[in-house]
Amino acid sequence: MEQFRNIGIIGRLGSSQVIETVRRLRKFLGGRGLAVILDEPIAELLPGHGLQVCSKKMMGEICDLVIVVGGDGSLLGAARALARYKVPVLGVNRGSLGFLTDIRPDELEQKVAEVLDGQYTVESRFLLECVVRRGETPIAQADALNDIILHPGKSTRMIEFEMFIDGQFVCSQKADGLIVATPTGSTAYALSAGGPIMHPKLDAIVVVPMYPHTLSSRPMVVDGNSELKVVVSQDMNIYPQVSCDGQNHVTCAPGDTLTIYKKSQKLRLIHPLDHNFYEVCRTKLGWGSRLGGHD
């Protein structure tokens, strides 16, 4: 197992609970003689901390481990910034759901100590990359760990588009939008739209139409190495948006083309040894427990 000596901390802004947890984490890591590096935004809320401060990009270059304190949204943002550097990421849950941020605040020191002592597993989670082209010219590029969504933006009208997979025509569709999700994102917006839950180890992409006009249109799971091309209809008079992880947004014009494919760099996500994907689903989604009342 890797030796973690330089530990980066990223925290969600706007939460006193996150600040309190970051303070605890800083004290605990310092007590073990480890170098602690704070992300610039969270460092501004900790006056007198006396620690090294850097950007997420620099954190990816100098840290052996990055701990994200917040919710899944905080980890999504960190993942997009850090995946290219192959630095492992560990999540502490101070959000509402926590599919990606495993560690509860009441077990912070215990679980982080286990990870530092080598008691952890590492998962590789792939990201998607989206390039928007106007004619032959790329006008925007963005990454997503969860999903890339084409939607009407502020308009209430349906979108018309054509979809191709690996160069083969799939369908022409009118719908409220289209969700293209990784296995990581299959438990997010894609699930709400009727898509399947996919185990994180699957090398697959799920394509979920949002309220399609054609009732026979259904979610589709394709190979993870597939390249998807979505062509926005020339005949529309609205300008739909592309949202990546619900955090980065690009406005498209009629006739624009979206090309979506797996990103070459993967996120290295760390879990404590007792992490269980099915237990997470059971807890977060309210599934029933085992017969006889046993967990």
mmCIF file of all heavy atoms in Angstrom, residues 7 9 19-38 46-51 67 69 108-109:
data_model
loop_
_atom_site.group_PDB
_atom_site.id
_atom_site.type_symbol
_atom_site.label_atom_id
_atom_site.label_comp_id
_atom_site.label_asym_id
_atom_site.label_seq_id
_atom_site.Cartn_x
_atom_site.Cartn_y
_atom_site.Cartn_z
ATOM 1 N N ILE A 7 -0.820 15.358 2.607
ATOM 2 C CA ILE A 7 -2.273 15.178 2.531
ATOM 3 C C ILE A 7 -2.942 16.508 2.183
ATOM 4 O O ILE A 7 -2.805 17.492 2.918
ATOM 5 C CB ILE A 7 -2.847 14.661 3.867
ATOM 6 C CG1 ILE A 7 -1.986 13.537 4.450
ATOM 7 C CG2 ILE A 7 -4.295 14.239 3.681
ATOM 8 C CD1 ILE A 7 -1.965 12.287 3.627
ATOM 9 N N ILE A 9 -6.378 18.796 1.608
ATOM 10 C CA ILE A 9 -7.754 18.864 2.110
ATOM 11 C C ILE A 9 -8.539 19.870 1.270
ATOM 12 O O ILE A 9 -8.135 21.021 1.115
ATOM 13 C CB ILE A 9 -7.815 19.281 3.593
ATOM 14 C CG1 ILE A 9 -7.072 18.272 4.475
ATOM 15 C CG2 ILE A 9 -9.270 19.407 4.053
ATOM 16 C CD1 ILE A 9 -7.062 18.651 5.951
ATOM 17 N N ILE A 19 -16.276 23.263 8.067
ATOM 18 C CA ILE A 19 -15.137 23.933 8.698
ATOM 19 C C ILE A 19 -14.726 23.211 9.972
ATOM 20 O O ILE A 19 -13.534 22.982 10.233
ATOM 21 C CB ILE A 19 -15.479 25.402 9.011
ATOM 22 C CG1 ILE A 19 -15.754 26.170 7.709
ATOM 23 C CG2 ILE A 19 -14.344 26.064 9.786
ATOM 24 C CD1 ILE A 19 -14.595 26.201 6.755
ATOM 25 N N GLU A 20 -15.709 22.812 10.788
ATOM 26 C CA GLU A 20 -15.407 22.100 12.030
ATOM 27 C C GLU A 20 -14.722 20.766 11.738
ATOM 28 O O GLU A 20 -13.763 20.377 12.421
ATOM 29 C CB GLU A 20 -16.711 21.881 12.810
ATOM 30 C CG GLU A 20 -16.546 21.225 14.175
ATOM 31 C CD GLU A 20 -16.668 19.702 14.103
ATOM 32 O OE1 GLU A 20 -17.343 19.197 13.186
ATOM 33 O OE2 GLU A 20 -16.062 19.023 14.966
ATOM 34 N N THR A 21 -15.185 20.060 10.696
ATOM 35 C CA THR A 21 -14.584 18.777 10.333
ATOM 36 C C THR A 21 -13.175 18.972 9.786
ATOM 37 O O THR A 21 -12.275 18.178 10.080
ATOM 38 C CB THR A 21 -15.456 18.054 9.285
ATOM 39 O OG1 THR A 21 -16.766 17.856 9.833
ATOM 40 C CG2 THR A 21 -14.862 16.711 8.915
ATOM 41 N N VAL A 22 -12.956 20.020 8.996
ATOM 42 C CA VAL A 22 -11.616 20.303 8.477
ATOM 43 C C VAL A 22 -10.661 20.597 9.622
ATOM 44 O O VAL A 22 -9.499 20.149 9.611
ATOM 45 C CB VAL A 22 -11.659 21.473 7.471
ATOM 46 C CG1 VAL A 22 -10.246 21.936 7.116
ATOM 47 C CG2 VAL A 22 -12.408 21.064 6.208
ATOM 48 N N ARG A 23 -11.122 21.326 10.613
ATOM 49 C CA ARG A 23 -10.266 21.609 11.786
ATOM 50 C C ARG A 23 -9.883 20.316 12.505
ATOM 51 O O ARG A 23 -8.728 20.126 12.893
ATOM 52 C CB ARG A 23 -10.986 22.559 12.747
ATOM 53 C CG ARG A 23 -11.078 23.998 12.257
ATOM 54 C CD ARG A 23 -11.419 24.931 13.414
ATOM 55 N NE ARG A 23 -11.436 26.318 12.979
ATOM 56 C CZ ARG A 23 -12.535 27.032 12.726
ATOM 57 N NH1 ARG A 23 -13.734 26.453 12.884
ATOM 58 N NH2 ARG A 23 -12.460 28.283 12.351
ATOM 59 N N ARG A 24 -10.859 19.433 12.694
ATOM 60 C CA ARG A 24 -10.561 18.140 13.326
ATOM 61 C C ARG A 24 -9.563 17.333 12.505
ATOM 62 O O ARG A 24 -8.632 16.732 13.052
ATOM 63 C CB ARG A 24 -11.854 17.330 13.485
ATOM 64 C CG ARG A 24 -12.738 17.741 14.640
ATOM 65 C CD ARG A 24 -14.051 16.968 14.609
ATOM 66 N NE ARG A 24 -13.852 15.522 14.605
ATOM 67 C CZ ARG A 24 -14.806 14.646 14.320
ATOM 68 N NH1 ARG A 24 -16.022 15.077 13.982
ATOM 69 N NH2 ARG A 24 -14.564 13.351 14.351
ATOM 70 N N LEU A 25 -9.758 17.345 11.219
ATOM 71 C CA LEU A 25 -8.892 16.591 10.317
ATOM 72 C C LEU A 25 -7.474 17.151 10.344
ATOM 73 O O LEU A 25 -6.490 16.395 10.402
ATOM 74 C CB LEU A 25 -9.475 16.657 8.908
ATOM 75 C CG LEU A 25 -8.921 15.720 7.838
ATOM 76 C CD1 LEU A 25 -8.978 14.263 8.301
ATOM 77 C CD2 LEU A 25 -9.709 15.893 6.542
ATOM 78 N N ARG A 26 -7.377 18.463 10.312
ATOM 79 C CA ARG A 26 -6.055 19.107 10.375
ATOM 80 C C ARG A 26 -5.326 18.744 11.663
ATOM 81 O O ARG A 26 -4.133 18.408 11.649
ATOM 82 C CB ARG A 26 -6.243 20.617 10.274
ATOM 83 C CG ARG A 26 -5.014 21.432 10.616
ATOM 84 C CD ARG A 26 -5.410 22.858 10.926
ATOM 85 N NE ARG A 26 -4.316 23.586 11.543
ATOM 86 C CZ ARG A 26 -4.445 24.731 12.195
ATOM 87 N NH1 ARG A 26 -5.654 25.271 12.322
ATOM 88 N NH2 ARG A 26 -3.409 25.327 12.732
ATOM 89 N N LYS A 27 -6.028 18.784 12.787
ATOM 90 C CA LYS A 27 -5.412 18.445 14.066
ATOM 91 C C LYS A 27 -4.974 16.985 14.097
ATOM 92 O O LYS A 27 -3.873 16.655 14.563
ATOM 93 C CB LYS A 27 -6.407 18.726 15.202
ATOM 94 C CG LYS A 27 -5.876 18.400 16.591
ATOM 95 C CD LYS A 27 -6.912 18.718 17.661
ATOM 96 C CE LYS A 27 -6.395 18.366 19.050
ATOM 97 N NZ LYS A 27 -7.426 18.648 20.104
ATOM 98 N N PHE A 28 -5.832 16.094 13.589
ATOM 99 C CA PHE A 28 -5.523 14.667 13.607
ATOM 100 C C PHE A 28 -4.317 14.352 12.731
ATOM 101 O O PHE A 28 -3.406 13.625 13.142
ATOM 102 C CB PHE A 28 -6.741 13.874 13.133
ATOM 103 C CG PHE A 28 -6.481 12.407 12.966
ATOM 104 C CD1 PHE A 28 -6.345 11.575 14.064
ATOM 105 C CD2 PHE A 28 -6.353 11.866 11.695
ATOM 106 C CE1 PHE A 28 -6.087 10.219 13.906
ATOM 107 C CE2 PHE A 28 -6.102 10.511 11.521
ATOM 108 C CZ PHE A 28 -5.969 9.686 12.637
ATOM 109 N N LEU A 29 -4.303 14.886 11.517
ATOM 110 C CA LEU A 29 -3.196 14.615 10.601
ATOM 111 C C LEU A 29 -1.895 15.220 11.115
ATOM 112 O O LEU A 29 -0.821 14.600 11.014
ATOM 113 C CB LEU A 29 -3.522 15.161 9.210
ATOM 114 C CG LEU A 29 -4.706 14.505 8.492
ATOM 115 C CD1 LEU A 29 -5.033 15.264 7.202
ATOM 116 C CD2 LEU A 29 -4.427 13.039 8.188
ATOM 117 N N GLY A 30 -1.989 16.431 11.668
ATOM 118 C CA GLY A 30 -0.793 17.050 12.246
ATOM 119 C C GLY A 30 -0.234 16.246 13.401
ATOM 120 O O GLY A 30 0.984 16.142 13.578
ATOM 121 N N GLY A 31 -1.132 15.632 14.181
ATOM 122 C CA GLY A 31 -0.697 14.799 15.301
ATOM 123 C C GLY A 31 0.054 13.556 14.865
ATOM 124 O O GLY A 31 0.806 12.962 15.652
ATOM 125 N N ARG A 32 -0.132 13.160 13.618
ATOM 126 C CA ARG A 32 0.590 12.005 13.077
ATOM 127 C C ARG A 32 1.842 12.415 12.313
ATOM 128 O O ARG A 32 2.488 11.601 11.660
ATOM 129 C CB ARG A 32 -0.329 11.188 12.163
ATOM 130 C CG ARG A 32 -1.441 10.483 12.936
ATOM 131 C CD ARG A 32 -2.286 9.609 12.016
ATOM 132 N NE ARG A 32 -1.540 8.549 11.375
ATOM 133 C CZ ARG A 32 -1.830 7.239 11.477
ATOM 134 N NH1 ARG A 32 -2.859 6.851 12.235
ATOM 135 N NH2 ARG A 32 -1.122 6.345 10.824
ATOM 136 N N GLY A 33 2.165 13.706 12.389
ATOM 137 C CA GLY A 33 3.389 14.188 11.764
ATOM 138 C C GLY A 33 3.324 14.291 10.254
ATOM 139 O O GLY A 33 4.363 14.272 9.579
ATOM 140 N N LEU A 34 2.117 14.417 9.706
ATOM 141 C CA LEU A 34 1.955 14.480 8.258
ATOM 142 C C LEU A 34 1.864 15.931 7.789
ATOM 143 O O LEU A 34 1.408 16.822 8.528
ATOM 144 C CB LEU A 34 0.693 13.723 7.841
ATOM 145 C CG LEU A 34 0.670 12.243 8.229
ATOM 146 C CD1 LEU A 34 -0.704 11.648 7.966
ATOM 147 C CD2 LEU A 34 1.740 11.472 7.469
ATOM 148 N N ALA A 35 2.305 16.166 6.578
ATOM 149 C CA ALA A 35 2.197 17.497 5.988
ATOM 150 C C ALA A 35 0.779 17.690 5.461
ATOM 151 O O ALA A 35 0.271 16.853 4.714
ATOM 152 C CB ALA A 35 3.210 17.650 4.856
ATOM 153 N N VAL A 36 0.144 18.784 5.856
ATOM 154 C CA VAL A 36 -1.239 19.066 5.455
ATOM 155 C C VAL A 36 -1.239 20.292 4.538
ATOM 156 O O VAL A 36 -0.653 21.322 4.869
ATOM 157 C CB VAL A 36 -2.136 19.333 6.689
ATOM 158 C CG1 VAL A 36 -3.552 19.654 6.250
ATOM 159 C CG2 VAL A 36 -2.117 18.117 7.615
ATOM 160 N N ILE A 37 -1.882 20.153 3.383
ATOM 161 C CA ILE A 37 -1.973 21.230 2.402
ATOM 162 C C ILE A 37 -3.448 21.554 2.186
ATOM 163 O O ILE A 37 -4.250 20.658 1.896
ATOM 164 C CB ILE A 37 -1.312 20.829 1.067
ATOM 165 C CG1 ILE A 37 0.157 20.488 1.271
ATOM 166 C CG2 ILE A 37 -1.450 21.951 0.044
ATOM 167 C CD1 ILE A 37 0.462 19.025 1.374
ATOM 168 N N LEU A 38 -3.804 22.828 2.323
ATOM 169 C CA LEU A 38 -5.200 23.237 2.186
ATOM 170 C C LEU A 38 -5.485 23.800 0.800
ATOM 171 O O LEU A 38 -4.650 24.503 0.209
ATOM 172 C CB LEU A 38 -5.545 24.300 3.228
ATOM 173 C CG LEU A 38 -5.511 23.900 4.707
ATOM 174 C CD1 LEU A 38 -5.874 25.108 5.572
ATOM 175 C CD2 LEU A 38 -6.458 22.749 4.988
ATOM 176 N N LEU A 46 -10.040 29.684 7.408
ATOM 177 C CA LEU A 46 -9.319 29.180 8.583
ATOM 178 C C LEU A 46 -8.149 30.102 8.903
ATOM 179 O O LEU A 46 -6.975 29.746 8.708
ATOM 180 C CB LEU A 46 -8.810 27.753 8.327
ATOM 181 C CG LEU A 46 -9.868 26.679 8.116
ATOM 182 C CD1 LEU A 46 -9.230 25.405 7.571
ATOM 183 C CD2 LEU A 46 -10.598 26.383 9.422
ATOM 184 N N PRO A 47 -8.420 31.298 9.401
ATOM 185 C CA PRO A 47 -7.338 32.252 9.668
ATOM 186 C C PRO A 47 -6.358 31.711 10.712
ATOM 187 O O PRO A 47 -6.747 31.051 11.667
ATOM 188 C CB PRO A 47 -8.087 33.489 10.198
ATOM 189 C CG PRO A 47 -9.414 32.971 10.658
ATOM 190 C CD PRO A 47 -9.744 31.821 9.772
ATOM 191 N N GLY A 48 -5.077 31.974 10.449
ATOM 192 C CA GLY A 48 -4.051 31.550 11.394
ATOM 193 C C GLY A 48 -3.728 30.076 11.362
ATOM 194 O O GLY A 48 -3.137 29.546 12.300
ATOM 195 N N HIS A 49 -4.094 29.376 10.282
ATOM 196 C CA HIS A 49 -3.895 27.918 10.236
ATOM 197 C C HIS A 49 -2.417 27.532 10.134
ATOM 198 O O HIS A 49 -2.020 26.465 10.583
ATOM 199 C CB HIS A 49 -4.666 27.311 9.069
ATOM 200 C CG HIS A 49 -4.352 27.923 7.742
ATOM 201 N ND1 HIS A 49 -3.184 27.685 7.054
ATOM 202 C CD2 HIS A 49 -5.065 28.786 6.969
ATOM 203 C CE1 HIS A 49 -3.185 28.355 5.911
ATOM 204 N NE2 HIS A 49 -4.315 29.039 5.833
ATOM 205 N N GLY A 50 -1.582 28.382 9.500
ATOM 206 C CA GLY A 50 -0.158 28.103 9.416
ATOM 207 C C GLY A 50 0.227 26.960 8.504
ATOM 208 O O GLY A 50 1.336 26.407 8.613
ATOM 209 N N LEU A 51 -0.648 26.587 7.578
ATOM 210 C CA LEU A 51 -0.391 25.453 6.705
ATOM 211 C C LEU A 51 -0.092 25.924 5.281
ATOM 212 O O LEU A 51 -0.395 27.058 4.914
ATOM 213 C CB LEU A 51 -1.598 24.512 6.671
ATOM 214 C CG LEU A 51 -2.034 23.906 8.009
ATOM 215 C CD1 LEU A 51 -3.320 23.109 7.826
ATOM 216 C CD2 LEU A 51 -0.929 23.025 8.586
ATOM 217 N N ILE A 67 -8.144 14.522 0.654
ATOM 218 C CA ILE A 67 -9.375 14.234 1.386
ATOM 219 C C ILE A 67 -10.373 15.350 1.091
ATOM 220 O O ILE A 67 -10.063 16.527 1.275
ATOM 221 C CB ILE A 67 -9.109 14.123 2.897
ATOM 222 C CG1 ILE A 67 -8.087 13.015 3.183
ATOM 223 C CG2 ILE A 67 -10.414 13.840 3.656
ATOM 224 C CD1 ILE A 67 -7.703 12.883 4.647
ATOM 225 N N VAL A 69 -13.906 17.034 2.021
ATOM 226 C CA VAL A 69 -14.911 17.144 3.079
ATOM 227 C C VAL A 69 -16.116 17.889 2.503
ATOM 228 O O VAL A 69 -16.024 19.059 2.135
ATOM 229 C CB VAL A 69 -14.360 17.892 4.309
ATOM 230 C CG1 VAL A 69 -15.419 17.951 5.415
ATOM 231 C CG2 VAL A 69 -13.094 17.216 4.825
ATOM 232 N N LEU A 108 -14.588 9.862 11.847
ATOM 233 C CA LEU A 108 -13.546 10.515 11.054
ATOM 234 C C LEU A 108 -12.154 10.006 11.393
ATOM 235 O O LEU A 108 -11.442 9.479 10.528
ATOM 236 C CB LEU A 108 -13.622 12.032 11.259
ATOM 237 C CG LEU A 108 -12.536 12.854 10.558
ATOM 238 C CD1 LEU A 108 -12.719 12.796 9.051
ATOM 239 C CD2 LEU A 108 -12.573 14.307 11.033
ATOM 240 N N GLU A 109 -11.746 10.184 12.669
ATOM 241 C CA GLU A 109 -10.373 9.818 13.045
ATOM 242 C C GLU A 109 -10.110 8.323 12.874
ATOM 243 O O GLU A 109 -9.047 7.920 12.393
ATOM 244 C CB GLU A 109 -10.090 10.251 14.492
ATOM 245 C CG GLU A 109 -9.988 11.753 14.697
ATOM 246 C CD GLU A 109 -11.329 12.448 14.853
ATOM 247 O OE1 GLU A 109 -12.372 11.756 14.805
ATOM 248 O OE2 GLU A 109 -11.354 13.677 15.021
#
